[in-house]
Amino acid sequence: MTDDAVHNDFESGLKPLWLRAQAGDEAAYRDALARIATRLRGYLRRRLQSLPDDVEDLVQETLLALHLQRGTYDPTIPVSAWVLAIARHKLVDLWRRRGRRDDLHDALDDVDEAALIAAPDEGEASRDLDRLLQQLPAAQRRAILLTKVEGLSVDEASQRTGASASAIKVQVHRGLKRLAQLVKTQRP
Amino acid sequence: MKTQTLVELLARGAGPAPRHVAARRLLPAAGFGVLASAALALALIGPIPAALYATAAPWVKLGYAAVLAAAALWLTATLSRPVARPLRPGRAVAAVVAAMGLIGLVALLATPAGERMTALLGHSALACPGNVLALSLPALAAALWALRGLAPTRPHAAGAAAGLLAGALGAAGYALACTETSPGFVAAWYSLGIGLTAALGAIVGPRVLRW
């Protein structure tokens, strides 16, 4: 198969899942993110050949950004183009922080969706989730642990903590935002 | 942390994606910006005489500022998303500025030849662009802050759009304190002040629009 055909396959498999995920289907969201993670790994591995240790960190940073910004997805564009634009933004940001301006010449402007080749092996970043969570303010950490790790519903978490349901949602969102910041700034 | 662990963590209880995120962040910023510029203009420069509101002069400025702000808001909202397609809102902005230019030109041509320069320069041509820029600064800060919480991937363009929006809001505030009456003056000097704010936004965009 050509790169184009691979890409079209990827997009046509992802889009319906993604639209269901946007509407609130959790299983579809998990599936979509897992597919995206695999493709991102391939995309970033190609572009970070000189920084192989950063690949999985950046995959995770991009996934966090995708989640936090999922409200900015516009259904009229391909999901893969949206994903790639965010991945590229994160890549440029990483290069900027590493002071490697020469890499920026790598045609960052064209949305080469075929570049999302698969790299299926399971990745593990160097950061430890527990240690990252330890650095969050207590209310944010608790909201994330209850709803995202223990898997309670927002209402259950609200009953457990005495905080209102909307407060739990806000703490989860802020906590994930803070987590994304930590992931970005605390590279070993 | 395994990436699969992160995927499960993000998906668990995620619920539907939030809707209208750009409007929810940009509209309050724009509201704050126009109130701040109006308050500063009235406090620092002083209100125009009430009788002026019976003439077209302040309404031309306010109308221009409002229509331009709406177009710039559309442009900013477009550029707040990854894979932005800013062509149509960009054209809308250009059309509004061009229409004001045309109105100004026609008004100047209708003025007797000897008075055209006076009408174009008024008594505050040098002060006007700087005042519009200064009164736009709170709106610019608010618009950039709002954009920072969204996902602009073209920071120069997004910063310029935020500056355009802020400039239009600053111009609306300045209209409450500016006694100039010629549409030609508005087309030239208000537009220049708004353009300066857009340029400032384009310069600071890449610095502040990191996410």
Side-chain angles (χ1 to χ4, degrees), chain A residues 22 56 60 90 127 148, chain B residues 1 3 9-10 12 211:
Chain A
Q22 290 289 92
E56 209 57 33
Q60 297 189 0
K90 290 292 168 189
R127 288 174 311 260
K148 294 287 195 179
Chain B
M1 165 170 48
T3 296
L9 181 124
L10 292 178
R12 193 167 294 142
W211 50 273

Side-chain angles (χ1 to χ4, degrees), chain B residues 119-187:
Chain B
L120 179 61
L121 295 178
H123 54 82
S124 59
L126 283 178
C128 170
N131 284 342
V132 169
L133 174 63
L135 292 173
S136 299
L137 293 179
L140 182 60
L144 288 171
W145 171 83
L147 265 183
R148 221 181 122 90
L150 296 162
T153 52
R154 296 168 65 176
H156 281 289
L164 209 55
L165 171 61
L169 300 174
Y174 188 52
L176 307 179
C178 163
T179 53
E180 299 287 353
T181 53
S182 156
F185 182 94
V186 178

Side-chain angles (χ1 to χ4, degrees), chain A:
Chain A
M1 265 197 293
T2 65
D3 268 6
D4 260 2
V6 171
H7 164 67
N8 289 339
D9 251 19
F10 175 61
E11 176 67 26
S12 59
L14 180 60
K15 182 117 188 194
L17 275 179
W18 185 259
L19 293 179
R20 267 163 43 211
Q22 290 289 92
D25 181 336
E26 195 178 311
Y29 193 35
R30 188 180 307 113
D31 194 358
L33 286 179
R35 289 179 189 219
I36 289 169
T38 301
R39 296 294 168 142
L40 280 177
R41 194 170 297 125
Y43 172 78
L44 293 171
R45 200 172 274 169
R46 271 194 190 177
R47 278 157 184 77
L48 287 170
Q49 283 173 2
S50 55
L51 299 167
D53 296 343
D54 283 319
V55 170
E56 209 57 33
D57 286 344
L58 207 54
V59 168
Q60 297 189 0
E61 202 186 313
T62 307
L63 287 173
L64 267 163
L66 290 176
H67 175 71
L68 290 168
Q69 294 301 341
R70 61 199 285 239
T72 67
Y73 174 70
D74 168 357
T76 62
I77 60 172
V79 184
S80 46
W82 181 77
V83 166
L84 259 186
I86 292 179
R88 233 175 17 243
H89 179 80
K90 290 292 168 189
L91 192 59
V92 172
D93 195 43
L94 173 73
W95 277 329
R96 193 187 287 120
R97 277 179 279 143
R98 296 280 157 116
R100 297 177 53 95
R101 304 203 70 83
D102 46 325
D103 285 291
L104 294 174
H105 297 300
D106 185 17
L108 286 164
D109 286 337
D110 40 80
V111 177
D112 175 16
E113 288 145 37
L116 288 174
I117 54 154
D121 50 326
E122 179 46 45
E124 176 150 10
S126 44
R127 288 174 311 260
D128 185 54
L129 176 62
D130 293 331
R131 214 158 17 161
L132 285 171
L133 287 175
Q134 285 305 320
Q135 298 176 60
L136 297 182
Q140 293 173 10
R141 181 172 62 239
R142 198 173 47 176
I144 289 181
L145 281 173
L146 288 177
T147 61
K148 294 287 195 179
V149 180
E150 289 184 30
L152 297 189
S153 72
V154 170
D155 286 338
E156 288 164 342
S158 156
Q159 279 165 16
R160 182 86 72 89
T161 57
S164 72
S166 62
I168 295 280
K169 281 190 201 163
V170 168
Q171 298 293 6
V172 169
H173 188 76
R174 288 199 184 142
L176 290 176
K177 247 173 134 169
R178 182 95 192 91
L179 209 61
Q181 275 301 315
L182 291 172
V183 163
K184 183 165 143 176
T185 51
Q186 298 192 348
R187 247 170 249 277

